Amino acid sequence: MEAGNGANSEQGTPQGGVISPLLSNIYLHEVLDSWVVKTVQPLLKGKSFMVRYADDAIIGCEKKEDADRIMKVLALRFAKYGLTIHPEKTKLVDFTKPAGESHKGSGNYTFLGFKHYWTKSRKGRWMVGRKTDGKRLSRALKAITQWCRENRHTPKKEQHEKLRGHYAYYGISLNYDSIAQLYHQVKRIWFKWLNRRSRQKELNWEQFGSYLQHVPLPQPKIVHSYC
């Protein structure tokens, strides 16, 4: 449907259609999953793994030479099935575990809305940390701003439920700072748009703080704890 006019497409799957994720999973199972397991991994010199969710995937290799070999043939494999890989998002990342007493690990990557990076635990051991990707955080704030603007006249208790869905996904261990940042930004956004309600005396921050005691925003919460 474009500009109010419907058209039957002859190829591809409908953007946003409920059947599209299922069809892409079936197709990519042959294009990528089976190929990696049956053809690629038996030829590698080191250990490897693959994680795929819909059309996002990570292939991890113990040895760089194996990663280089896969990178060279990946585009050719997809082209065989009429697909192309994203030229900017498809890249090699050195995610080697840091050695020595370095306070910061090298290499990071983004997957499913999380930035993965090396960090140290409280006991000083290297571990993989995860935090909300900056672009996803900005996108969430823009969406909440738009929602608050369009729904500022709805009952106030209904206006803060958007945060719960964000916590349910991004509320994982080591990511408290990111979801707390969202929480504080949402307070400012909510304050702004509550003051745009017509025929209402403008709130100041003290009154807004008092109001939040009666209708509190959901506090940042780690929903999924794994460490």
Side-chain angles (χ1 to χ4, degrees):
M1 180 73 70
E2 295 183 5
N5 299 316
N8 294 322
S9 50
E10 298 180 357
Q11 62 181 6
T13 60
Q15 182 71 26
V18 293
I19 193 64
S20 298
L22 176 60
L23 293 177
S24 66
N25 267 329
I26 294 173
Y27 203 61
L28 286 175
H29 176 75
E30 172 64 26
V31 177
L32 187 61
D33 304 350
S34 296
W35 175 67
V36 168
V37 173
K38 297 178 181 179
T39 304
V40 175
Q41 289 182 327
L43 300 176
L44 300 182
K45 296 182 178 180
K47 297 179 181 178
S48 67
F49 70 89
M50 187 186 74
V51 178
R52 182 176 69 81
Y53 184 87
D55 60 349
D56 288 325
I58 290 176
I59 301 176
C61 296
E62 181 183 12
K63 297 183 179 297
K64 185 179 183 301
E65 59 184 290
D66 288 337
D68 289 333
R69 291 175 63 190
I70 295 174
M71 192 68 173
K72 289 180 180 179
V73 299
L74 195 60
L76 297 175
R77 173 66 181 180
F78 274 67
K80 180 180 178 181
Y81 289 82
L83 301 175
T84 57
I85 58 177
H86 198 291
E88 296 177 2
K89 294 182 179 179
T90 308
K91 57 185 178 180
L92 285 173
V93 176
D94 182 2
F95 201 64
T96 307
K97 184 178 180 179
E101 296 299 321
S102 173
H103 294 288
K104 185 178 181 181
S106 61
N108 62 76
Y109 63 92
T110 300
F111 185 56
L112 302 182
F114 288 96
K115 180 179 180 181
H116 297 67
Y117 61 98
W118 285 105
T119 186
K120 283 191 174 182
S121 68
R122 293 180 179 178
K123 295 183 179 180
R125 298 175 181 173
W126 285 108
M127 61 182 293
V128 178
R130 298 172 181 85
K131 62 182 179 181
T132 310
D133 177 54
K135 293 181 180 179
R136 291 295 183 93
L137 186 59
S138 297
R139 187 189 305 177
L141 288 171
K142 288 180 180 178
I144 290 174
T145 299
Q146 181 69 18
W147 191 91
C148 285
R149 183 173 67 179
E150 296 174 353
N151 295 273
R152 60 185 182 274
H153 297 295
T154 61
K156 295 178 181 178
K157 288 186 178 181
E158 297 179 13
Q159 294 189 22
H160 61 243
E161 293 301 320
K162 290 291 181 179
L163 278 173
R164 299 190 189 278
H166 189 89
Y167 296 161
Y169 185 79
Y170 290 102
I172 67 172
S173 297
L174 305 180
N175 196 34
Y176 184 85
D177 288 347
S178 291
I179 60 176
Q181 180 183 352
L182 180 83
Y183 168 78
H184 291 298
Q185 291 294 332
V186 168
K187 279 205 305 185
R188 294 180 176 275
I189 294 169
W190 200 26
F191 174 75
K192 171 185 175 179
W193 288 108
L194 284 178
N195 275 325
R196 298 297 192 276
R197 292 163 70 109
S198 61
R199 290 177 291 182
Q200 174 179 291
K201 184 178 179 181
E202 186 171 327
L203 291 170
N204 57 39
W205 274 105
E206 184 177 352
Q207 292 169 329
F208 182 61
S210 177
Y211 167 72
L212 286 178
Q213 293 180 0
H214 299 285
V215 189
L217 284 170
Q219 293 289 325
K221 180 182 180 181
I222 299 299
V223 179
H224 310 287
S225 178
Y226 60 86
C227 64

Short mmCIF file of all heavy atoms in Angstrom, two decimals, residues 158-212:
data_model
loop_
_atom_site.label_atom_id
_atom_site.label_comp_id
_atom_site.label_asym_id
_atom_site.label_seq_id
_atom_site.Cartn_x
_atom_site.Cartn_y
_atom_site.Cartn_z
N GLU A 158 -1.61 6.63 32.33
CA GLU A 158 -1.34 5.80 31.16
C GLU A 158 -0.09 6.26 30.42
O GLU A 158 0.39 5.57 29.52
CB GLU A 158 -2.54 5.86 30.20
CG GLU A 158 -3.82 5.30 30.78
CD GLU A 158 -4.98 5.40 29.81
OE1 GLU A 158 -4.72 5.67 28.63
OE2 GLU A 158 -6.13 5.20 30.23
N GLN A 159 0.47 7.41 30.79
CA GLN A 159 1.52 8.00 29.98
C GLN A 159 2.93 7.50 30.28
O GLN A 159 3.86 7.81 29.56
CB GLN A 159 1.49 9.53 30.13
CG GLN A 159 0.23 10.15 29.55
CD GLN A 159 0.31 11.66 29.52
OE1 GLN A 159 1.39 12.24 29.53
NE2 GLN A 159 -0.83 12.31 29.47
N HIS A 160 3.09 6.75 31.38
CA HIS A 160 4.45 6.32 31.70
C HIS A 160 4.69 4.83 31.46
O HIS A 160 5.73 4.30 31.82
CB HIS A 160 4.79 6.68 33.15
CG HIS A 160 3.91 6.03 34.17
ND1 HIS A 160 3.09 6.74 35.01
CD2 HIS A 160 3.72 4.73 34.49
CE1 HIS A 160 2.44 5.91 35.80
NE2 HIS A 160 2.81 4.69 35.50
N GLU A 161 3.73 4.14 30.83
CA GLU A 161 3.87 2.71 30.63
C GLU A 161 4.92 2.36 29.58
O GLU A 161 5.39 1.22 29.52
CB GLU A 161 2.52 2.10 30.24
CG GLU A 161 1.48 2.15 31.36
CD GLU A 161 1.95 1.42 32.62
OE1 GLU A 161 2.57 0.34 32.48
OE2 GLU A 161 1.75 1.94 33.71
N LYS A 162 5.30 3.33 28.74
CA LYS A 162 6.29 3.06 27.70
C LYS A 162 7.63 2.61 28.27
O LYS A 162 8.37 1.86 27.63
CB LYS A 162 6.48 4.31 26.84
CG LYS A 162 5.30 4.66 25.95
CD LYS A 162 5.14 3.66 24.84
CE LYS A 162 3.98 4.01 23.92
NZ LYS A 162 3.82 3.05 22.82
N LEU A 163 7.94 3.07 29.47
CA LEU A 163 9.23 2.72 30.06
C LEU A 163 9.33 1.23 30.40
O LEU A 163 10.41 0.65 30.33
CB LEU A 163 9.47 3.54 31.34
CG LEU A 163 9.99 4.96 31.14
CD1 LEU A 163 10.00 5.69 32.48
CD2 LEU A 163 11.38 4.94 30.55
N ARG A 164 8.22 0.62 30.76
CA ARG A 164 8.26 -0.78 31.20
C ARG A 164 8.74 -1.70 30.07
O ARG A 164 9.51 -2.64 30.31
CB ARG A 164 6.89 -1.21 31.69
CG ARG A 164 6.37 -0.42 32.89
CD ARG A 164 5.13 -1.05 33.49
NE ARG A 164 4.53 -0.18 34.48
CZ ARG A 164 4.93 -0.09 35.74
NH1 ARG A 164 5.95 -0.82 36.14
NH2 ARG A 164 4.31 0.72 36.58
N GLY A 165 8.28 -1.43 28.86
CA GLY A 165 8.71 -2.25 27.73
C GLY A 165 10.20 -2.12 27.47
O GLY A 165 10.87 -3.10 27.14
N HIS A 166 10.73 -0.90 27.64
CA HIS A 166 12.16 -0.68 27.44
C HIS A 166 12.97 -1.44 28.49
O HIS A 166 13.97 -2.09 28.17
CB HIS A 166 12.47 0.81 27.52
CG HIS A 166 13.86 1.17 27.13
ND1 HIS A 166 14.24 1.45 25.83
CD2 HIS A 166 15.00 1.27 27.87
CE1 HIS A 166 15.53 1.71 25.78
NE2 HIS A 166 16.02 1.62 27.01
N TYR A 167 12.55 -1.37 29.75
CA TYR A 167 13.26 -2.10 30.82
C TYR A 167 13.21 -3.60 30.57
O TYR A 167 14.18 -4.32 30.86
CB TYR A 167 12.63 -1.80 32.17
CG TYR A 167 12.72 -0.36 32.62
CD1 TYR A 167 11.87 0.13 33.62
CD2 TYR A 167 13.63 0.52 32.06
CE1 TYR A 167 11.93 1.44 34.05
CE2 TYR A 167 13.70 1.84 32.48
CZ TYR A 167 12.84 2.30 33.47
OH TYR A 167 12.90 3.60 33.89
N ALA A 168 12.08 -4.09 30.05
CA ALA A 168 11.93 -5.53 29.85
C ALA A 168 12.94 -6.07 28.86
O ALA A 168 13.35 -7.23 28.95
CB ALA A 168 10.51 -5.84 29.39
N TYR A 169 13.37 -5.22 27.91
CA TYR A 169 14.35 -5.67 26.91
C TYR A 169 15.77 -5.29 27.29
O TYR A 169 16.69 -6.13 27.27
CB TYR A 169 14.01 -5.09 25.54
CG TYR A 169 14.90 -5.60 24.43
CD1 TYR A 169 14.67 -6.86 23.87
CD2 TYR A 169 15.97 -4.86 23.96
CE1 TYR A 169 15.49 -7.35 22.87
CE2 TYR A 169 16.80 -5.34 22.95
CZ TYR A 169 16.55 -6.58 22.42
OH TYR A 169 17.38 -7.06 21.43
N TYR A 170 15.98 -4.03 27.65
CA TYR A 170 17.33 -3.53 27.90
C TYR A 170 17.77 -3.62 29.37
O TYR A 170 18.92 -3.30 29.67
CB TYR A 170 17.45 -2.08 27.44
CG TYR A 170 17.41 -1.92 25.94
CD1 TYR A 170 16.25 -1.49 25.30
CD2 TYR A 170 18.52 -2.21 25.16
CE1 TYR A 170 16.20 -1.34 23.92
CE2 TYR A 170 18.48 -2.07 23.78
CZ TYR A 170 17.33 -1.64 23.17
OH TYR A 170 17.28 -1.51 21.81
N GLY A 171 16.88 -4.06 30.23
CA GLY A 171 17.23 -4.14 31.64
C GLY A 171 18.02 -5.38 31.98
O GLY A 171 17.53 -6.29 32.65
N ILE A 172 19.28 -5.43 31.52
CA ILE A 172 20.15 -6.57 31.78
C ILE A 172 21.32 -6.14 32.65
O ILE A 172 21.61 -4.95 32.79
CB ILE A 172 20.66 -7.20 30.47
CG1 ILE A 172 21.61 -6.23 29.76
CG2 ILE A 172 19.52 -7.59 29.55
CD1 ILE A 172 22.31 -6.83 28.55
N SER A 173 22.00 -7.11 33.21
CA SER A 173 23.15 -6.83 34.07
C SER A 173 24.16 -5.94 33.35
O SER A 173 24.38 -6.09 32.14
CB SER A 173 23.83 -8.14 34.47
OG SER A 173 22.96 -8.94 35.24
N LEU A 174 24.73 -5.00 34.09
CA LEU A 174 25.75 -4.06 33.62
C LEU A 174 25.19 -2.93 32.76
O LEU A 174 25.94 -2.07 32.30
CB LEU A 174 26.87 -4.77 32.86
CG LEU A 174 27.59 -5.92 33.58
CD1 LEU A 174 28.66 -6.51 32.68
CD2 LEU A 174 28.20 -5.45 34.88
N ASN A 175 23.87 -2.91 32.54
CA ASN A 175 23.30 -1.87 31.67
C ASN A 175 22.45 -0.88 32.46
O ASN A 175 21.64 -0.15 31.87
CB ASN A 175 22.44 -2.51 30.56
CG ASN A 175 22.16 -1.54 29.44
OD1 ASN A 175 22.99 -0.70 29.10
ND2 ASN A 175 20.97 -1.65 28.85
N TYR A 176 22.64 -0.81 33.77
CA TYR A 176 21.81 0.08 34.58
C TYR A 176 21.99 1.54 34.20
O TYR A 176 21.03 2.31 34.14
CB TYR A 176 22.11 -0.11 36.07
CG TYR A 176 21.21 0.71 36.96
CD1 TYR A 176 19.95 0.23 37.33
CD2 TYR A 176 21.59 1.98 37.41
CE1 TYR A 176 19.11 0.98 38.13
CE2 TYR A 176 20.76 2.74 38.20
CZ TYR A 176 19.52 2.24 38.56
OH TYR A 176 18.68 3.00 39.34
N ASP A 177 23.23 1.96 33.94
CA ASP A 177 23.49 3.37 33.62
C ASP A 177 22.71 3.82 32.38
O ASP A 177 22.19 4.94 32.33
CB ASP A 177 24.98 3.60 33.40
CG ASP A 177 25.78 3.54 34.70
OD1 ASP A 177 25.15 3.56 35.78
OD2 ASP A 177 27.01 3.47 34.63
N SER A 178 22.62 2.95 31.39
CA SER A 178 21.92 3.31 30.15
C SER A 178 20.42 3.47 30.37
O SER A 178 19.81 4.42 29.89
CB SER A 178 22.18 2.26 29.06
OG SER A 178 23.52 2.29 28.64
N ILE A 179 19.81 2.53 31.10
CA ILE A 179 18.37 2.64 31.31
C ILE A 179 18.06 3.77 32.31
O ILE A 179 16.99 4.38 32.25
CB ILE A 179 17.75 1.30 31.77
CG1 ILE A 179 18.37 0.82 33.08
CG2 ILE A 179 17.89 0.25 30.69
CD1 ILE A 179 17.71 -0.46 33.61
N ALA A 180 19.02 4.07 33.22
CA ALA A 180 18.82 5.20 34.14
C ALA A 180 18.88 6.52 33.36
O ALA A 180 18.13 7.46 33.65
CB ALA A 180 19.88 5.18 35.24
N GLN A 181 19.75 6.57 32.37
CA GLN A 181 19.84 7.77 31.53
C GLN A 181 18.52 7.99 30.80
O GLN A 181 18.02 9.12 30.72
CB GLN A 181 20.97 7.61 30.51
CG GLN A 181 21.13 8.81 29.58
CD GLN A 181 22.22 8.61 28.54
OE1 GLN A 181 22.97 7.63 28.59
NE2 GLN A 181 22.32 9.51 27.59
N LEU A 182 17.94 6.91 30.28
CA LEU A 182 16.64 7.02 29.61
C LEU A 182 15.58 7.52 30.59
O LEU A 182 14.78 8.40 30.26
CB LEU A 182 16.22 5.66 29.05
CG LEU A 182 14.87 5.67 28.34
CD1 LEU A 182 15.02 6.16 26.90
CD2 LEU A 182 14.22 4.29 28.35
N TYR A 183 15.59 6.99 31.79
CA TYR A 183 14.62 7.37 32.82
C TYR A 183 14.67 8.88 33.09
O TYR A 183 13.63 9.56 33.11
CB TYR A 183 14.89 6.58 34.10
CG TYR A 183 14.15 7.08 35.32
CD1 TYR A 183 12.81 6.79 35.51
CD2 TYR A 183 14.81 7.85 36.29
CE1 TYR A 183 12.13 7.24 36.64
CE2 TYR A 183 14.14 8.31 37.40
CZ TYR A 183 12.80 8.01 37.57
OH TYR A 183 12.14 8.47 38.68
N HIS A 184 15.86 9.43 33.28
CA HIS A 184 15.99 10.85 33.59
C HIS A 184 15.60 11.72 32.39
O HIS A 184 15.01 12.80 32.57
CB HIS A 184 17.43 11.15 34.04
CG HIS A 184 17.78 10.57 35.36
ND1 HIS A 184 17.13 10.92 36.53
CD2 HIS A 184 18.71 9.64 35.72
CE1 HIS A 184 17.64 10.25 37.54
NE2 HIS A 184 18.59 9.46 37.08
N GLN A 185 15.92 11.27 31.19
CA GLN A 185 15.53 12.02 30.00
C GLN A 185 14.01 12.01 29.82
O GLN A 185 13.41 13.01 29.42
CB GLN A 185 16.21 11.44 28.76
CG GLN A 185 17.70 11.66 28.70
CD GLN A 185 18.08 13.13 28.56
OE1 GLN A 185 17.33 13.94 28.02
NE2 GLN A 185 19.24 13.49 29.09
N VAL A 186 13.40 10.86 30.12
CA VAL A 186 11.94 10.77 29.99
C VAL A 186 11.24 11.68 30.98
O VAL A 186 10.19 12.27 30.67
CB VAL A 186 11.48 9.30 30.16
CG1 VAL A 186 9.96 9.22 30.33
CG2 VAL A 186 11.91 8.47 28.97
N LYS A 187 11.82 11.82 32.16
CA LYS A 187 11.23 12.75 33.13
C LYS A 187 11.18 14.16 32.55
O LYS A 187 10.17 14.87 32.72
CB LYS A 187 12.05 12.75 34.44
CG LYS A 187 11.73 11.61 35.36
CD LYS A 187 12.03 11.92 36.81
CE LYS A 187 13.46 12.36 37.04
NZ LYS A 187 13.73 12.54 38.49
N ARG A 188 12.24 14.59 31.90
CA ARG A 188 12.27 15.91 31.29
C ARG A 188 11.25 16.03 30.15
O ARG A 188 10.56 17.04 30.00
CB ARG A 188 13.68 16.22 30.76
CG ARG A 188 14.73 16.36 31.86
CD ARG A 188 16.10 16.66 31.28
NE ARG A 188 17.08 16.89 32.31
CZ ARG A 188 17.30 18.05 32.92
NH1 ARG A 188 16.58 19.11 32.56
NH2 ARG A 188 18.21 18.18 33.86
N ILE A 189 11.18 14.97 29.35
CA ILE A 189 10.22 14.98 28.23
C ILE A 189 8.79 15.03 28.74
O ILE A 189 7.96 15.80 28.25
CB ILE A 189 10.43 13.71 27.36
CG1 ILE A 189 11.80 13.75 26.67
CG2 ILE A 189 9.32 13.58 26.32
CD1 ILE A 189 12.19 12.44 26.01
N TRP A 190 8.51 14.23 29.75
CA TRP A 190 7.15 14.19 30.32
C TRP A 190 6.78 15.54 30.94
O TRP A 190 5.68 16.03 30.78
CB TRP A 190 7.07 13.07 31.34
CG TRP A 190 5.68 12.61 31.62
CD1 TRP A 190 4.59 12.69 30.78
CD2 TRP A 190 5.20 12.01 32.82
NE1 TRP A 190 3.48 12.17 31.38
CE2 TRP A 190 3.83 11.73 32.64
CE3 TRP A 190 5.80 11.65 34.02
CZ2 TRP A 190 3.05 11.14 33.61
CZ3 TRP A 190 5.01 11.04 34.99
CH2 TRP A 190 3.66 10.79 34.80
N PHE A 191 7.73 16.12 31.66
CA PHE A 191 7.52 17.43 32.27
C PHE A 191 7.18 18.47 31.21
O PHE A 191 6.26 19.28 31.36
CB PHE A 191 8.77 17.84 33.05
CG PHE A 191 8.72 19.24 33.61
CD1 PHE A 191 7.95 19.53 34.72
CD2 PHE A 191 9.46 20.26 33.02
CE1 PHE A 191 7.91 20.82 35.25
CE2 PHE A 191 9.43 21.55 33.53
CZ PHE A 191 8.65 21.83 34.64
N LYS A 192 7.91 18.42 30.10
CA LYS A 192 7.68 19.38 29.03
C LYS A 192 6.28 19.25 28.46
O LYS A 192 5.56 20.26 28.31
CB LYS A 192 8.72 19.17 27.92
CG LYS A 192 8.44 19.97 26.66
CD LYS A 192 9.42 19.64 25.56
CE LYS A 192 9.05 20.35 24.25
NZ LYS A 192 10.02 20.05 23.17
N TRP A 193 5.86 18.03 28.15
CA TRP A 193 4.59 17.87 27.46
C TRP A 193 3.39 17.94 28.39
O TRP A 193 2.27 18.25 27.94
CB TRP A 193 4.60 16.60 26.63
CG TRP A 193 5.48 16.77 25.43
CD1 TRP A 193 6.70 16.21 25.21
CD2 TRP A 193 5.22 17.61 24.31
NE1 TRP A 193 7.22 16.64 24.03
CE2 TRP A 193 6.33 17.50 23.44
CE3 TRP A 193 4.16 18.44 23.94
CZ2 TRP A 193 6.41 18.19 22.25
CZ3 TRP A 193 4.24 19.13 22.74
CH2 TRP A 193 5.34 19.01 21.91
N LEU A 194 3.58 17.66 29.66
CA LEU A 194 2.49 17.89 30.62
C LEU A 194 2.18 19.38 30.70
O LEU A 194 1.03 19.78 30.91
CB LEU A 194 2.85 17.35 32.00
CG LEU A 194 2.76 15.83 32.19
CD1 LEU A 194 3.19 15.45 33.60
CD2 LEU A 194 1.35 15.32 31.92
N ASN A 195 3.21 20.19 30.53
CA ASN A 195 3.02 21.64 30.55
C ASN A 195 2.44 22.18 29.25
O ASN A 195 2.18 23.37 29.13
CB ASN A 195 4.34 22.35 30.86
CG ASN A 195 4.60 22.43 32.35
OD1 ASN A 195 3.68 22.58 33.13
ND2 ASN A 195 5.86 22.31 32.73
N ARG A 196 2.27 21.30 28.25
CA ARG A 196 1.64 21.72 27.00
C ARG A 196 0.15 21.39 26.98
O ARG A 196 -0.52 21.64 25.99
CB ARG A 196 2.33 21.05 25.80
CG ARG A 196 3.79 21.39 25.62
CD ARG A 196 4.02 22.87 25.35
NE ARG A 196 5.38 23.14 24.91
CZ ARG A 196 6.41 23.31 25.74
NH1 ARG A 196 6.23 23.22 27.05
NH2 ARG A 196 7.62 23.57 25.27
N ARG A 197 -0.33 20.79 28.05
CA ARG A 197 -1.77 20.49 28.12
C ARG A 197 -2.55 21.80 28.19
O ARG A 197 -2.21 22.69 28.97
CB ARG A 197 -2.08 19.61 29.34
CG ARG A 197 -1.51 18.22 29.23
CD ARG A 197 -1.47 17.53 30.57
NE ARG A 197 -2.80 17.18 31.03
CZ ARG A 197 -3.27 15.94 31.09
NH1 ARG A 197 -2.51 14.94 30.70
NH2 ARG A 197 -4.46 15.70 31.55
N SER A 198 -3.57 21.94 27.38
CA SER A 198 -4.35 23.18 27.34
C SER A 198 -5.16 23.36 28.61
O SER A 198 -5.54 22.40 29.29
CB SER A 198 -5.28 23.16 26.13
OG SER A 198 -6.19 22.08 26.22
N ARG A 199 -5.41 24.62 28.93
CA ARG A 199 -6.24 25.02 30.08
C ARG A 199 -5.74 24.38 31.39
O ARG A 199 -6.51 23.95 32.23
CB ARG A 199 -7.71 24.65 29.84
CG ARG A 199 -8.36 25.51 28.77
CD ARG A 199 -9.77 25.10 28.49
NE ARG A 199 -9.82 23.80 27.84
CZ ARG A 199 -10.95 23.21 27.44
NH1 ARG A 199 -12.12 23.81 27.63
NH2 ARG A 199 -10.91 22.03 26.84
N GLN A 200 -4.45 24.31 31.53
CA GLN A 200 -3.87 23.78 32.77
C GLN A 200 -2.76 24.71 33.24
O GLN A 200 -1.96 25.18 32.45
CB GLN A 200 -3.30 22.38 32.54
CG GLN A 200 -2.54 21.84 33.76
CD GLN A 200 -2.00 20.46 33.50
OE1 GLN A 200 -2.74 19.50 33.39
NE2 GLN A 200 -0.68 20.36 33.41
N LYS A 201 -2.76 25.00 34.53
CA LYS A 201 -1.72 25.84 35.08
C LYS A 201 -0.37 25.15 34.93
O LYS A 201 -0.23 23.96 35.20
CB LYS A 201 -2.00 26.12 36.56
CG LYS A 201 -1.00 27.07 37.19
CD LYS A 201 -1.36 27.33 38.64
CE LYS A 201 -0.35 28.27 39.29
NZ LYS A 201 -0.66 28.51 40.71
N GLU A 202 0.63 25.90 34.48
CA GLU A 202 1.94 25.33 34.21
C GLU A 202 2.59 24.81 35.49
O GLU A 202 2.57 25.45 36.53
CB GLU A 202 2.84 26.38 33.55
CG GLU A 202 4.17 25.82 33.09
CD GLU A 202 4.94 26.80 32.25
OE1 GLU A 202 4.30 27.58 31.51
OE2 GLU A 202 6.18 26.79 32.33
N LEU A 203 3.18 23.60 35.38
CA LEU A 203 3.87 22.99 36.51
C LEU A 203 5.29 23.53 36.61
O LEU A 203 5.93 23.83 35.61
CB LEU A 203 3.95 21.47 36.32
CG LEU A 203 2.67 20.64 36.40
CD1 LEU A 203 2.97 19.22 35.94
CD2 LEU A 203 2.13 20.62 37.81
N ASN A 204 5.79 23.65 37.84
CA ASN A 204 7.22 23.87 38.03
C ASN A 204 7.84 22.55 38.49
O ASN A 204 7.13 21.58 38.75
CB ASN A 204 7.49 25.00 39.02
CG ASN A 204 6.85 24.74 40.38
OD1 ASN A 204 6.84 23.60 40.87
ND2 ASN A 204 6.30 25.79 41.00
N TRP A 205 9.17 22.52 38.61
CA TRP A 205 9.83 21.25 38.94
C TRP A 205 9.44 20.74 40.32
O TRP A 205 9.34 19.53 40.54
CB TRP A 205 11.35 21.42 38.84
CG TRP A 205 11.85 21.20 37.44
CD1 TRP A 205 12.28 22.14 36.56
CD2 TRP A 205 11.96 19.94 36.76
NE1 TRP A 205 12.63 21.56 35.37
CE2 TRP A 205 12.46 20.21 35.46
CE3 TRP A 205 11.68 18.63 37.12
CZ2 TRP A 205 12.68 19.20 34.54
CZ3 TRP A 205 11.91 17.62 36.18
CH2 TRP A 205 12.40 17.91 34.92
N GLU A 206 9.22 21.65 41.25
CA GLU A 206 8.83 21.22 42.60
C GLU A 206 7.45 20.55 42.58
O GLU A 206 7.25 19.51 43.20
CB GLU A 206 8.81 22.43 43.54
CG GLU A 206 8.49 22.06 44.98
CD GLU A 206 8.54 23.26 45.91
OE1 GLU A 206 8.96 24.36 45.44
OE2 GLU A 206 8.16 23.12 47.08
N GLN A 207 6.52 21.15 41.84
CA GLN A 207 5.19 20.56 41.73
C GLN A 207 5.24 19.24 40.97
O GLN A 207 4.52 18.29 41.30
CB GLN A 207 4.26 21.55 41.01
CG GLN A 207 3.96 22.81 41.81
CD GLN A 207 3.26 23.86 40.97
OE1 GLN A 207 3.49 23.94 39.75
NE2 GLN A 207 2.41 24.66 41.60
N PHE A 208 6.09 19.21 39.95
CA PHE A 208 6.23 17.97 39.18
C PHE A 208 6.80 16.85 40.06
O PHE A 208 6.35 15.70 39.98
CB PHE A 208 7.15 18.22 37.99
CG PHE A 208 7.34 17.03 37.09
CD1 PHE A 208 6.26 16.45 36.44
CD2 PHE A 208 8.60 16.48 36.89
CE1 PHE A 208 6.43 15.35 35.60
CE2 PHE A 208 8.78 15.39 36.05
CZ PHE A 208 7.69 14.82 35.40
N GLY A 209 7.77 17.19 40.92
CA GLY A 209 8.33 16.19 41.84
C GLY A 209 7.28 15.67 42.80
O GLY A 209 7.23 14.47 43.10
N SER A 210 6.43 16.56 43.28
CA SER A 210 5.35 16.15 44.17
C SER A 210 4.35 15.26 43.44
O SER A 210 3.86 14.27 44.00
CB SER A 210 4.64 17.39 44.72
OG SER A 210 3.56 17.02 45.55
N TYR A 211 4.09 15.63 42.18
CA TYR A 211 3.16 14.83 41.38
C TYR A 211 3.70 13.42 41.16
O TYR A 211 2.96 12.43 41.21
CB TYR A 211 2.92 15.53 40.04
CG TYR A 211 2.23 14.67 39.03
CD1 TYR A 211 0.88 14.35 39.16
CD2 TYR A 211 2.94 14.13 37.95
CE1 TYR A 211 0.25 13.54 38.23
CE2 TYR A 211 2.31 13.32 37.03
CZ TYR A 211 0.97 13.03 37.17
OH TYR A 211 0.35 12.23 36.27
N LEU A 212 5.02 13.30 40.93
CA LEU A 212 5.62 11.99 40.68
C LEU A 212 5.54 11.07 41.89
O LEU A 212 5.64 9.85 41.76
CB LEU A 212 7.09 12.15 40.27
CG LEU A 212 7.34 12.67 38.84
CD1 LEU A 212 8.82 12.83 38.60
CD2 LEU A 212 6.73 11.75 37.81
#
